[in-house]
C-alpha cells in the first residue's frame, strides 16, 4: 500500500507518522511519500518520520519529494494538509478582520473566506494531478476550510472525503469523563465543518441510550471550560456546540479578546520554530510533547481509521466525516457538504439518518451553507463582487459597510495568491 501526504513538511506530520506506526495493522503502509515544496522543512520532518518508523519497528519506506506528480503516482490514498501562504497568511487572516470589528479567524468569517480563496484552486490542481496519475486513488482532505474544500473536490468529480479532528476530540474527552473506552462512545454529531453540535452521546453505537443529559449534569463545568464558553450556554442549549460556535454565540466578546492578546498564528509560528529545531535533532525518535499544543489532536487516529475503511482494511463502523448531503439534511441542497456520522467503505461515505433538527441549529446551518456556496463560486471564478457577496452572506459579517471594507482588505492582503486580482 502506498500513501502520499501533500503538505508533508508540516509540523503536524509527526503526529500522523506516529499514528501510522502505532496502528500499522489497520493500515499496512509499504511506502509513504511526504510531498512539500519547502525542501528544508521537508527534510527535517522526513528525518524524524523515518526515526519514528524505525523505533516502532515499522517496515514501511518513507520518501520525501517536492514533485507532486511523482509523489502521488500510484498512491492508494492522498492526504491533503497544506496551508497556502503559510503562517504569514494565517497571521493576516486573524488580524485584518479585527480592524472592521469582525472576528479574525483562519477558518470562519472573513479570514476563513480568504483561506478558501487561496486554497481551493491549489487543491483542485493537486487533485487533477492525482486523477491523471491514479484515478482510483482516494483523496482525504484535512486542509481547511474542510467543508468548502471538500465540496470543491466532490463537485469536480474527485473521490474525496473531508476529515476534521473536532469530533474525535469530543469522543476522546467524553470517554475520559465517562471512564469508558473511546470506541464505546458514539456521537450524534451534526452540522457543517467547524459549525457542529453534539446533540446526543450514546454508549455502544447509534442505537444506544443517550447519556448526554447526565453527562452535562455531572461534568458540565469541565465541558464548558473546554469550549471556553459559560456553562449557562451549554445548559440552556442542552447540547454540546463545537468550540468554533463561540465565534457566533459570543462574537463581540471574542473580538475584544482577540484585540488584546497575541494572535494564535503568532503563537503557532513560535511553536513551529521550536518544533523544527527539535525535529533536526538526530537523536529524537518520537513526537515531542510540544506537538500536542500545536493543534490537530487525535488527527492521526481519525486519518488511519478513515483511510483503512476507504481502502478495505476494516476501520470503525461509524466515523464523522465531511461528505455530500444527498438529502440527509432536507433543508440543504443535495450537493452541500455536511459533517455527520457515516458508514465508510471502499465506495465512500454514507451519512447516517439525522433526526429533524431544531430551527436554532438548522437556521444557522442553512445560512452558513449559503455563504459556503458563494465562497466556492468566488474561489472558482474570482471577482470582487463574488467576494463581497460571500462576505455579506456570512453571519459573522452580514452588514453592507463591513462587507465592503473587508472585501478591500481581503484582496489587498491576498493579491499574490489570487490570480484574478
Amino acid at each position: 500500500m502506498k500513501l502520499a501526504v501533500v503538505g508533508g513538511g508540516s509540523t503536524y506530520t509527526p503526529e500522523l507518522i506516529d499514528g501510522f506506526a502505532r496502528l500499522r495493522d489497520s493500515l499496512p503502509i509499504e511506502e509513504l511519500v511526504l510531498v512539500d515544496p519547502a525542501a528544508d522543512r521537508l527534510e527535517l520532518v522526513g528525518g524524524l518520520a523515518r526515526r519514528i518508523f524505525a523505533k516502532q519497528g515499522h517496515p514501511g519506506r518513507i520518501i520525501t519529494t517536492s514533485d507532486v506528480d511523482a509523489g502521488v503516482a500510484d498512491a492508494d490514498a492522498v492526504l491533503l494538509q497544506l496551508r497556502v501562504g503559510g503562517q504569514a497568511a494565517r497571521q493576516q487572516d486573524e488580524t485584518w478582520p479585527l480592524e472592521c470589528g469582525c472576528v479574525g479567524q483562519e477558518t470562519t468569517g472573513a479570514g476563513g473566506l480568504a483561506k478558501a480563496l487561496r486554497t481551493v484552486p491549489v487543491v483542485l490542481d493537486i487533485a487533477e494531478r492525482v486523477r491523471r496519475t491514479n484515478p482510483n486513488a482516494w483523496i482525504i482532505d484535512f486542509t481547511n476550510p474542510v467543508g468548502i474544500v471538500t465540496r470543491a473536490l466532490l463537485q469536480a468529480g474527485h473521490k474525496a472525503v473531508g476529515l476534521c479532528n473536532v469530533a474525535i476530540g469530543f469522543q476522546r474527552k467524553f470517554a475520559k469523563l465517562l471512564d469508558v473506552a473511546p470506541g464505546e462512545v458514539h456521537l450524534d454529531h451534526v452540522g457543517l465543518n467547524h459549525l457542529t453540535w453534539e446533540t446526543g452521546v450514546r454508549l455502544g453505537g447509534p442505537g444506544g441510550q443517550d447519556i448526554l443529559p447526565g453527562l452535562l449534569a455531572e461534568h458540565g463545568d469541565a465541558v464548558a471550560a473546554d469550549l471556553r464558553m459559560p456553562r449557562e450556554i451549554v445548559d440552556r442549549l442542552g447540547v454540546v456546540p463545537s468550540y468554533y460556535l463561540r465565534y457566533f454565540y459570543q462574537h463581540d466578546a471574542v473580538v475584544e479578546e482577540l484585540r488584546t492578546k497575541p494572535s494564535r498564528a503568532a503563537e503557532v509560528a513560535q511553536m513551529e520554530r521550536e518544533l523544527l529545531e527539535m525535529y533536526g535533532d538526530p537523536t529524537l525518535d518520537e513526537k515531542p510533547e510540544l506537538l500536542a499544543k500545536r493543534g490537530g489532536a487525535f488527527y492521526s487516529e481519525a486519518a488511519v481509521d478513515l483511510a483503512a475503511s476507504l481502502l478495505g482494511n476494516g476501520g470503525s463502523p461509524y466515523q464523522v466525516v465531511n461528505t455530500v448531503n444527498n438529502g440527509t439534511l432536507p433543508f440543504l441542497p443535495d450537493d452541500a457538504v455536511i459533517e455527520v456520522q457515516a458508514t465508510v467503505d471502499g465506495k465512500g461515505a454514507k451519512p447516517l439518518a439525522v433526526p429533524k433538527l431544531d430551527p436554532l441549529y438548522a437556521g444557522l446551518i442553512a445560512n452558513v451553507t449559503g455563504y459556503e456556496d458563494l465562497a466556492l463560486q468566488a474561489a472558482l471564478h474570482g471577482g470582487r463582487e463574488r467576494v463581497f457577496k460571500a462576505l455579506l452572506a456570512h453571519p459573522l459579517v452580514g452588514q453592507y459597510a463591513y462587507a465592503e471594507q473587508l472585501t478591500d482588505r481581503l484582496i489587498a492582503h491576498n493579491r499574490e495568491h489570487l490570480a484574478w486580482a
Side-chain angles (χ1 to χ4, degrees):
M1 178 186 297
K2 175 181 176 179
L3 262 65
V5 180
V6 179
S10 168
T11 52
Y12 270 134
T13 300
E15 165 71 26
L16 191 61
I17 299 298
D18 179 72
F20 287 158
R22 289 186 292 102
L23 305 171
R24 55 184 173 273
D25 290 342
S26 299
L27 203 64
I29 299 171
E30 297 167 289
E31 184 174 308
L32 177 63
V33 184
L34 305 181
V35 184
D36 203 293
D40 52 344
R41 292 171 59 108
L42 185 59
E43 287 312 307
L44 291 174
V45 173
L48 175 57
R50 295 185 185 98
R51 295 192 297 272
I52 291 173
F53 262 30
K55 181 180 181 180
Q56 299 196 32
H58 194 297
R61 185 167 61 128
I62 295 178
I63 299 170
T64 58
T65 181
S66 296
D67 186 333
V68 175
D69 292 321
V72 303
D74 301 320
D76 296 287
V78 178
L79 281 72
L80 304 180
Q81 55 170 36
L82 51 112
R83 181 183 294 279
V84 179
Q87 293 299 328
R90 177 180 180 172
Q91 170 72 15
Q92 294 179 354
D93 293 344
E94 294 180 354
T95 51
W96 54 262
L98 295 173
E99 298 169 5
C100 300
C102 295
V103 159
Q105 212 279 329
E106 65 157 341
T107 63
T108 192
L113 175 60
K115 193 170 197 295
L117 297 182
R118 294 193 304 268
T119 304
V120 166
V122 175
V123 165
L124 289 179
D125 176 68
I126 293 169
E128 285 300 327
R129 293 167 184 264
V130 173
R131 180 150 54 190
R132 286 198 300 267
T133 59
N134 184 6
N136 293 317
W138 278 102
I139 296 176
I140 298 173
D141 179 64
F142 193 65
T143 297
N144 282 318
V146 168
I148 295 173
V149 172
T150 303
R151 189 171 182 179
L153 288 166
L154 290 172
Q155 287 187 358
H158 299 289
K159 294 175 60 176
V161 180
L163 181 65
C164 181
N165 69 319
V166 167
I168 194 172
F170 276 131
Q171 182 199 45
R172 297 299 198 267
K173 289 166 187 173
F174 293 161
K176 186 175 181 180
L177 291 173
L178 296 166
D179 196 24
V180 299
E184 289 295 304
V185 176
H186 177 91
L187 303 176
D188 291 346
H189 179 103
V190 62
L192 310 175
N193 180 242
H194 290 184
L195 192 86
T196 52
W197 296 263
E198 312 308 324
T199 59
V201 177
R202 304 177 187 277
L203 294 183
Q209 178 186 1
D210 181 12
I211 60 169
L212 179 57
L215 176 68
L216 291 179
E218 186 173 352
H219 302 287
D221 287 341
V223 171
D226 190 57
L227 298 173
R228 298 178 64 194
M229 295 184 192
R231 178 168 179 175
E232 180 185 6
I233 293 178
V234 179
D235 286 342
R236 292 183 72 174
L237 293 176
V239 304
V240 180
S242 159
Y243 40 83
Y244 287 93
L245 265 298
R246 70 190 295 261
Y247 300 116
F248 294 80
Y249 293 158
Q250 300 172 276
H251 177 274
D252 292 355
V254 171
V255 167
E256 289 306 308
E257 173 191 316
L258 294 175
R259 282 173 164 169
T260 58
K261 69 174 191 178
S263 68
R264 175 63 177 165
E267 295 175 356
V268 170
Q270 177 59 35
M271 281 185 218
E272 287 203 331
R273 287 190 287 270
E274 295 177 26
L275 285 169
L276 289 170
E277 185 174 349
M278 293 178 184
Y279 295 171
D281 179 356
T283 66
L284 182 68
D285 56 9
E286 60 186 10
K287 62 178 183 179
E289 290 184 10
L290 179 61
L291 187 55
K293 298 179 181 180
R294 170 67 178 82
F298 309 114
Y299 162 42
S300 60
E301 285 90 340
V304 168
D305 208 12
L306 179 55
S309 295
L310 292 172
L311 299 177
N313 287 284
S316 301
Y318 309 107
Q319 299 172 42
V320 173
V321 297
N322 285 261
T323 191
V324 69
N325 179 42
N326 275 344
T328 306
L329 300 181
F331 55 89
L332 296 184
D334 283 347
D335 65 348
V337 165
I338 59 175
E339 186 172 291
V340 291
Q341 287 276 7
T343 57
V344 185
D345 58 23
K347 296 179 180 179
K350 182 178 180 182
L352 301 185
V354 175
K356 184 178 180 180
L357 278 180
D358 187 303
L360 181 61
Y361 315 123
L364 186 53
I365 290 170
N367 188 337
V368 176
T369 297
Y371 150 76
E372 290 190 347
D373 183 65
L374 293 167
L376 182 54
Q377 293 307 308
L380 293 174
H381 305 295
R384 186 186 188 282
E385 191 66 10
R386 291 189 180 94
V387 174
F388 167 77
K389 288 180 178 179
L391 287 168
L392 188 62
H394 201 295
L396 295 182
V397 180
Q399 296 186 53
Y400 176 86
Y402 287 173
E404 275 286 297
Q405 296 172 46
L406 290 167
T407 298
D408 290 336
R409 283 169 168 78
L410 186 155
I411 294 172
H413 284 285
N414 291 275
R415 198 176 299 277
E416 66 181 294
H417 300 292
L418 306 176
W420 54 267

